[in-house]
Amino acid sequence: MTYSIQWHEETIRDLKKIDRQKQKKIIARIKDYLSKDPLSLGKPLKGIFKGLYRYRYGSYRIIYAIDRESVVILILRIADRKNVYKDPVNEN
């Protein structure tokens, strides 16, 4: 079963901060791999991020939520591993 992908508006801003070549690779990886098996490819997060998953692609982390009922993956953040868990609104 392939999940459909939805992009949070913050994710679009995250992608614009990444160079175009890496953007294309990340998007392709999400569409080709993550959409097919988000539960086993991703790692469940803990603490305040409980209920969300993360997928590692190089030094980037993709934070997402899974709606199994609607068969949808909501991509919430894409950022370097050093910055992905920081609040994007308060970043300098």
Side-chain angles (χ1 to χ4, degrees):
M1 169 180 5
T2 301
Y3 284 72
S4 62
I5 305 292
Q6 290 184 354
W7 303 86
H8 189 275
E9 62 187 48
E10 193 62 46
T11 307
I12 305 303
R13 287 188 216 125
D14 288 343
L15 280 171
K16 288 180 181 179
K17 296 175 187 176
I18 301 170
D19 71 78
R20 187 154 320 265
Q21 186 177 8
K22 286 183 183 172
Q23 283 179 23
K24 289 179 183 181
K25 288 181 180 181
I26 290 169
I27 291 168
R29 183 66 100 162
I30 290 170
K31 289 180 179 178
D32 296 341
Y33 291 94
L34 191 61
S35 66
K36 292 179 177 40
D37 196 6
L39 289 169
S40 67
L41 289 175
K43 179 179 178 183
L45 296 174
K46 300 175 184 176
I48 62 170
F49 298 104
K50 187 174 183 170
L52 300 177
Y53 292 80
R54 73 126 169 105
Y55 178 69
R56 183 175 68 94
Y57 183 69
S59 67
Y60 290 92
R61 301 298 182 265
I62 300 159
I63 307 298
Y64 61 96
I66 301 171
D67 185 347
R68 295 180 198 176
E69 211 172 279
S70 303
V71 193
V72 171
I73 299 172
L74 175 60
I75 308 295
L76 300 169
R77 291 285 319 266
I78 299 174
D80 189 87
R81 63 185 179 87
K82 295 179 276 184
N83 301 320
V84 75
Y85 301 105
K86 294 179 182 175
D87 184 1
V89 176
N90 295 324
E91 282 182 4
N92 292 335

